[in-house]
Amino acid sequence: MALQMPLGPVMCDVAGLALSDAERAVLQHPLVGGVILFTRNYADPDQLAALCAEIHALRSPALIITVDHEGGRVQRFRSGFTRLPAMRRLGEVWAQDAHLARRLAQDTGFVLASELLAAGVDLSFTPVLDLDYGHSSVIGDRAFHSDPDITAELAYALMLGLRESGMGAVGKHFPGHGFAAADSHVAMPVDEREFEQLWHADIVPYRHVLKTVMSGVMPAHVIYSAIDPQPAGFSRFWLQDVLRTRLGFDGVIFSDDLTMEGATVAGDIVARADAALSAGCDMVLVCNRPDLTADLLTRWQPDFAARSSQRIEALRPAGRPSPEQLALSPRFQAAWAGVQSLG
C-alpha cells in the first residue's frame, strides 16, 4: 500500500534506470514532494514508464515527476521520443510566417507533453522565456527570439499545446537569464541593468502569460546587482514583490538546482534551501548530489506552508494518454507532422 502523506518541498533525483532500496526510502521522506529525471534515467519508453509507475506507487498523493525536456540540446529522452527542435527554430519560422510559427509552436508543445505523459512523466520544466541577446552560451538557441513580444507569442502558443495535452507549463528563468553571459551552473552571473530595462524587455513574456497558462516559474541564479544583492531565486523582491504581487502569479515557484555554483552564495545546502523558501519558493531542487540531498533531509526543518503543498498538488496533469491512444490520434499525428517539418 502506498504511504499516505502530503507532498513536501524537496525535489530530488535518482541514479539509474530503476529505484534502489535506499532511493525508495529517500522518496518516502516527508520533505520530498517530487523527482526530477535525467538522461541517465532513460533507456526506452517502456523502461521509463516502469520507473515512473514505481515512483508514483510509493506515495499517496503520488510524487510529481518532472524533467528538463525543452527540445534541441536540452531534451533528456531521445531514442523512442520525437526529436524536438530548439526553440530558436520557431523564432526563425516567425520571420517568414507568424501564423505558421504559432501553429507549429502549439504542435511542439502538444507532442512534447503527450509523449511525456504517456510515459508517466507529469511535468516538463519548459518553456525558456529568456531572450536571446547573443552572448549567453547557456541560453543560446534555447530562447525563442531576441524580441520579447515574439517570445511571448511563441511561448504562449507552446503552452497552449502543453495544456491541450493536459500538462502544465513552467517558465524559466525569471526575470531573465539571457543578458548575463556567465553560466550559473559553474559561475555566479551578474546582470547590472536597472529594473525598468528588465520590466520592458525580459519580463514582458511573463507579463503576457503568467495569469493564463503558466503553472510554475523557475527563477534564475543571477544577481541583478542594481536591484538586489541576492540572486533572484533567493530574493523576496523578485519573488514576492514582483512575481507574486506586481504580476499576480499564484502558481508554483521552483528554485533552480541548489547544487549549482550560482546558489552557493547562500551557504551550505540547508542555508540555500532556507533562503529559497524564505524568499518565496514553494519547492527546492537538489540534483546530482545525493550526499547533499541526504544532508538536507536530515537537518532541514522548514516552515512549509499548506498553500505551497496545494500549489504543488495542482501540478498534477489533467489526463494521461496511453502510447496506443497517441498512435491512433489524428491530432497527435498532425502535430507530429508539424514538428517534423521543422527539421
PDB file of all heavy atoms in Angstrom, residues 89-108:
ATOM      1  N   ARG A  89      14.378  27.731 -33.512  1.00  0.00           N
ATOM      2  CA  ARG A  89      13.850  27.338 -34.828  1.00  0.00           C
ATOM      3  C   ARG A  89      12.456  27.935 -35.044  1.00  0.00           C
ATOM      4  O   ARG A  89      12.111  28.361 -36.161  1.00  0.00           O
ATOM      5  CB  ARG A  89      13.805  25.816 -34.925  1.00  0.00           C
ATOM      6  CG  ARG A  89      13.284  25.298 -36.250  1.00  0.00           C
ATOM      7  CD  ARG A  89      14.320  25.471 -37.365  1.00  0.00           C
ATOM      8  NE  ARG A  89      13.741  25.102 -38.658  1.00  0.00           N
ATOM      9  CZ  ARG A  89      13.224  25.978 -39.520  1.00  0.00           C
ATOM     10  NH1 ARG A  89      13.219  27.280 -39.250  1.00  0.00           N
ATOM     11  NH2 ARG A  89      12.728  25.556 -40.667  1.00  0.00           N
ATOM     12  N   LEU A  90      11.643  27.974 -34.000  1.00  0.00           N
ATOM     13  CA  LEU A  90      10.311  28.569 -34.113  1.00  0.00           C
ATOM     14  C   LEU A  90      10.403  30.072 -34.338  1.00  0.00           C
ATOM     15  O   LEU A  90       9.600  30.654 -35.068  1.00  0.00           O
ATOM     16  CB  LEU A  90       9.496  28.251 -32.863  1.00  0.00           C
ATOM     17  CG  LEU A  90       9.133  26.771 -32.701  1.00  0.00           C
ATOM     18  CD1 LEU A  90       8.655  26.495 -31.269  1.00  0.00           C
ATOM     19  CD2 LEU A  90       8.067  26.369 -33.710  1.00  0.00           C
ATOM     20  N   GLY A  91      11.402  30.704 -33.718  1.00  0.00           N
ATOM     21  CA  GLY A  91      11.622  32.120 -33.970  1.00  0.00           C
ATOM     22  C   GLY A  91      12.029  32.388 -35.410  1.00  0.00           C
ATOM     23  O   GLY A  91      11.631  33.405 -36.004  1.00  0.00           O
ATOM     24  N   GLU A  92      12.788  31.473 -36.007  1.00  0.00           N
ATOM     25  CA  GLU A  92      13.170  31.613 -37.416  1.00  0.00           C
ATOM     26  C   GLU A  92      11.954  31.486 -38.327  1.00  0.00           C
ATOM     27  O   GLU A  92      11.831  32.215 -39.321  1.00  0.00           O
ATOM     28  CB  GLU A  92      14.216  30.563 -37.763  1.00  0.00           C
ATOM     29  CG  GLU A  92      15.547  30.772 -37.062  1.00  0.00           C
ATOM     30  CD  GLU A  92      16.484  29.582 -37.172  1.00  0.00           C
ATOM     31  OE1 GLU A  92      16.043  28.515 -37.667  1.00  0.00           O
ATOM     32  OE2 GLU A  92      17.656  29.716 -36.768  1.00  0.00           O
ATOM     33  N   VAL A  93      11.045  30.565 -38.007  1.00  0.00           N
ATOM     34  CA  VAL A  93       9.821  30.431 -38.801  1.00  0.00           C
ATOM     35  C   VAL A  93       8.980  31.701 -38.703  1.00  0.00           C
ATOM     36  O   VAL A  93       8.362  32.140 -39.687  1.00  0.00           O
ATOM     37  CB  VAL A  93       9.018  29.196 -38.338  1.00  0.00           C
ATOM     38  CG1 VAL A  93       7.671  29.126 -39.061  1.00  0.00           C
ATOM     39  CG2 VAL A  93       9.808  27.917 -38.581  1.00  0.00           C
ATOM     40  N   TRP A  94       8.956  32.315 -37.510  1.00  0.00           N
ATOM     41  CA  TRP A  94       8.172  33.548 -37.311  1.00  0.00           C
ATOM     42  C   TRP A  94       8.562  34.619 -38.332  1.00  0.00           C
ATOM     43  O   TRP A  94       7.693  35.364 -38.821  1.00  0.00           O
ATOM     44  CB  TRP A  94       8.383  34.062 -35.897  1.00  0.00           C
ATOM     45  CG  TRP A  94       7.618  35.321 -35.569  1.00  0.00           C
ATOM     46  CD1 TRP A  94       7.951  36.597 -35.911  1.00  0.00           C
ATOM     47  CD2 TRP A  94       6.380  35.403 -34.856  1.00  0.00           C
ATOM     48  NE1 TRP A  94       7.012  37.478 -35.447  1.00  0.00           N
ATOM     49  CE2 TRP A  94       6.032  36.769 -34.789  1.00  0.00           C
ATOM     50  CE3 TRP A  94       5.554  34.470 -34.252  1.00  0.00           C
ATOM     51  CZ2 TRP A  94       4.889  37.215 -34.154  1.00  0.00           C
ATOM     52  CZ3 TRP A  94       4.396  34.913 -33.611  1.00  0.00           C
ATOM     53  CH2 TRP A  94       4.076  36.271 -33.581  1.00  0.00           C
ATOM     54  N   ALA A  95       9.837  34.706 -38.646  1.00  0.00           N
ATOM     55  CA  ALA A  95      10.307  35.734 -39.581  1.00  0.00           C
ATOM     56  C   ALA A  95       9.690  35.558 -40.969  1.00  0.00           C
ATOM     57  O   ALA A  95       9.568  36.534 -41.724  1.00  0.00           O
ATOM     58  CB  ALA A  95      11.834  35.682 -39.675  1.00  0.00           C
ATOM     59  N   GLN A  96       9.269  34.332 -41.289  1.00  0.00           N
ATOM     60  CA  GLN A  96       8.666  34.059 -42.598  1.00  0.00           C
ATOM     61  C   GLN A  96       7.140  34.055 -42.539  1.00  0.00           C
ATOM     62  O   GLN A  96       6.474  34.511 -43.471  1.00  0.00           O
ATOM     63  CB  GLN A  96       9.160  32.695 -43.108  1.00  0.00           C
ATOM     64  CG  GLN A  96      10.670  32.551 -43.161  1.00  0.00           C
ATOM     65  CD  GLN A  96      11.330  33.580 -44.054  1.00  0.00           C
ATOM     66  OE1 GLN A  96      10.816  33.883 -45.134  1.00  0.00           O
ATOM     67  NE2 GLN A  96      12.451  34.135 -43.602  1.00  0.00           N
ATOM     68  N   ASP A  97       6.585  33.529 -41.417  1.00  0.00           N
ATOM     69  CA  ASP A  97       5.131  33.347 -41.340  1.00  0.00           C
ATOM     70  C   ASP A  97       4.739  33.227 -39.872  1.00  0.00           C
ATOM     71  O   ASP A  97       4.868  32.158 -39.279  1.00  0.00           O
ATOM     72  CB  ASP A  97       4.731  32.085 -42.113  1.00  0.00           C
ATOM     73  CG  ASP A  97       3.219  31.897 -42.231  1.00  0.00           C
ATOM     74  OD1 ASP A  97       2.481  32.380 -41.340  1.00  0.00           O
ATOM     75  OD2 ASP A  97       2.774  31.243 -43.185  1.00  0.00           O
ATOM     76  N   ALA A  98       4.245  34.307 -39.280  1.00  0.00           N
ATOM     77  CA  ALA A  98       3.932  34.322 -37.847  1.00  0.00           C
ATOM     78  C   ALA A  98       2.816  33.335 -37.516  1.00  0.00           C
ATOM     79  O   ALA A  98       2.862  32.653 -36.484  1.00  0.00           O
ATOM     80  CB  ALA A  98       3.548  35.730 -37.406  1.00  0.00           C
ATOM     81  N   HIS A  99       1.803  33.254 -38.387  1.00  0.00           N
ATOM     82  CA  HIS A  99       0.691  32.326 -38.129  1.00  0.00           C
ATOM     83  C   HIS A  99       1.182  30.887 -38.105  1.00  0.00           C
ATOM     84  O   HIS A  99       0.810  30.100 -37.219  1.00  0.00           O
ATOM     85  CB  HIS A  99      -0.387  32.502 -39.186  1.00  0.00           C
ATOM     86  CG  HIS A  99      -1.522  31.520 -39.054  1.00  0.00           C
ATOM     87  ND1 HIS A  99      -2.471  31.628 -38.062  1.00  0.00           N
ATOM     88  CD2 HIS A  99      -1.820  30.393 -39.765  1.00  0.00           C
ATOM     89  CE1 HIS A  99      -3.337  30.626 -38.182  1.00  0.00           C
ATOM     90  NE2 HIS A  99      -2.963  29.867 -39.195  1.00  0.00           N
ATOM     91  N   LEU A 100       2.018  30.517 -39.056  1.00  0.00           N
ATOM     92  CA  LEU A 100       2.574  29.162 -39.093  1.00  0.00           C
ATOM     93  C   LEU A 100       3.428  28.893 -37.859  1.00  0.00           C
ATOM     94  O   LEU A 100       3.369  27.806 -37.277  1.00  0.00           O
ATOM     95  CB  LEU A 100       3.414  28.980 -40.358  1.00  0.00           C
ATOM     96  CG  LEU A 100       4.145  27.641 -40.499  1.00  0.00           C
ATOM     97  CD1 LEU A 100       3.158  26.490 -40.547  1.00  0.00           C
ATOM     98  CD2 LEU A 100       5.047  27.662 -41.738  1.00  0.00           C
ATOM     99  N   ALA A 101       4.214  29.889 -37.448  1.00  0.00           N
ATOM    100  CA  ALA A 101       5.068  29.713 -36.275  1.00  0.00           C
ATOM    101  C   ALA A 101       4.235  29.447 -35.027  1.00  0.00           C
ATOM    102  O   ALA A 101       4.596  28.592 -34.211  1.00  0.00           O
ATOM    103  CB  ALA A 101       5.955  30.943 -36.075  1.00  0.00           C
ATOM    104  N   ARG A 102       3.132  30.178 -34.868  1.00  0.00           N
ATOM    105  CA  ARG A 102       2.251  29.921 -33.719  1.00  0.00           C
ATOM    106  C   ARG A 102       1.701  28.500 -33.751  1.00  0.00           C
ATOM    107  O   ARG A 102       1.663  27.807 -32.732  1.00  0.00           O
ATOM    108  CB  ARG A 102       1.090  30.913 -33.715  1.00  0.00           C
ATOM    109  CG  ARG A 102       1.450  32.341 -33.351  1.00  0.00           C
ATOM    110  CD  ARG A 102       0.172  33.147 -33.153  1.00  0.00           C
ATOM    111  NE  ARG A 102       0.446  34.574 -33.059  1.00  0.00           N
ATOM    112  CZ  ARG A 102       0.394  35.415 -34.096  1.00  0.00           C
ATOM    113  NH1 ARG A 102       0.091  34.947 -35.312  1.00  0.00           N
ATOM    114  NH2 ARG A 102       0.645  36.693 -33.936  1.00  0.00           N
ATOM    115  N   ARG A 103       1.247  28.059 -34.924  1.00  0.00           N
ATOM    116  CA  ARG A 103       0.684  26.711 -35.031  1.00  0.00           C
ATOM    117  C   ARG A 103       1.731  25.650 -34.725  1.00  0.00           C
ATOM    118  O   ARG A 103       1.461  24.678 -33.995  1.00  0.00           O
ATOM    119  CB  ARG A 103       0.103  26.492 -36.430  1.00  0.00           C
ATOM    120  CG  ARG A 103      -0.506  25.095 -36.601  1.00  0.00           C
ATOM    121  CD  ARG A 103      -1.179  24.929 -37.939  1.00  0.00           C
ATOM    122  NE  ARG A 103      -0.261  24.959 -39.058  1.00  0.00           N
ATOM    123  CZ  ARG A 103       0.532  23.938 -39.414  1.00  0.00           C
ATOM    124  NH1 ARG A 103       0.538  22.814 -38.702  1.00  0.00           N
ATOM    125  NH2 ARG A 103       1.308  24.040 -40.458  1.00  0.00           N
ATOM    126  N   LEU A 104       2.934  25.832 -35.264  1.00  0.00           N
ATOM    127  CA  LEU A 104       3.987  24.843 -35.027  1.00  0.00           C
ATOM    128  C   LEU A 104       4.450  24.858 -33.570  1.00  0.00           C
ATOM    129  O   LEU A 104       4.835  23.814 -33.033  1.00  0.00           O
ATOM    130  CB  LEU A 104       5.165  25.094 -35.969  1.00  0.00           C
ATOM    131  CG  LEU A 104       4.882  24.830 -37.448  1.00  0.00           C
ATOM    132  CD1 LEU A 104       6.083  25.208 -38.296  1.00  0.00           C
ATOM    133  CD2 LEU A 104       4.485  23.374 -37.687  1.00  0.00           C
ATOM    134  N   ALA A 105       4.414  26.015 -32.933  1.00  0.00           N
ATOM    135  CA  ALA A 105       4.754  26.072 -31.503  1.00  0.00           C
ATOM    136  C   ALA A 105       3.736  25.288 -30.686  1.00  0.00           C
ATOM    137  O   ALA A 105       4.103  24.542 -29.765  1.00  0.00           O
ATOM    138  CB  ALA A 105       4.824  27.521 -31.032  1.00  0.00           C
ATOM    139  N   GLN A 106       2.445  25.442 -31.018  1.00  0.00           N
ATOM    140  CA  GLN A 106       1.426  24.678 -30.295  1.00  0.00           C
ATOM    141  C   GLN A 106       1.576  23.183 -30.585  1.00  0.00           C
ATOM    142  O   GLN A 106       1.453  22.349 -29.669  1.00  0.00           O
ATOM    143  CB  GLN A 106       0.023  25.155 -30.668  1.00  0.00           C
ATOM    144  CG  GLN A 106      -1.068  24.448 -29.855  1.00  0.00           C
ATOM    145  CD  GLN A 106      -2.410  25.146 -29.925  1.00  0.00           C
ATOM    146  OE1 GLN A 106      -2.513  26.269 -30.423  1.00  0.00           O
ATOM    147  NE2 GLN A 106      -3.446  24.499 -29.418  1.00  0.00           N
ATOM    148  N   ASP A 107       1.857  22.824 -31.824  1.00  0.00           N
ATOM    149  CA  ASP A 107       2.104  21.416 -32.159  1.00  0.00           C
ATOM    150  C   ASP A 107       3.278  20.861 -31.352  1.00  0.00           C
ATOM    151  O   ASP A 107       3.224  19.736 -30.842  1.00  0.00           O
ATOM    152  CB  ASP A 107       2.416  21.270 -33.646  1.00  0.00           C
ATOM    153  CG  ASP A 107       1.191  21.413 -34.538  1.00  0.00           C
ATOM    154  OD1 ASP A 107       0.056  21.375 -34.015  1.00  0.00           O
ATOM    155  OD2 ASP A 107       1.372  21.567 -35.766  1.00  0.00           O
ATOM    156  N   THR A 108       4.338  21.650 -31.239  1.00  0.00           N
ATOM    157  CA  THR A 108       5.520  21.204 -30.497  1.00  0.00           C
ATOM    158  C   THR A 108       5.174  20.957 -29.030  1.00  0.00           C
ATOM    159  O   THR A 108       5.567  19.943 -28.445  1.00  0.00           O
ATOM    160  CB  THR A 108       6.651  22.242 -30.618  1.00  0.00           C
ATOM    161  OG1 THR A 108       7.000  22.390 -32.000  1.00  0.00           O
ATOM    162  CG2 THR A 108       7.875  21.814 -29.832  1.00  0.00           C
TER     163      THR A 108
END
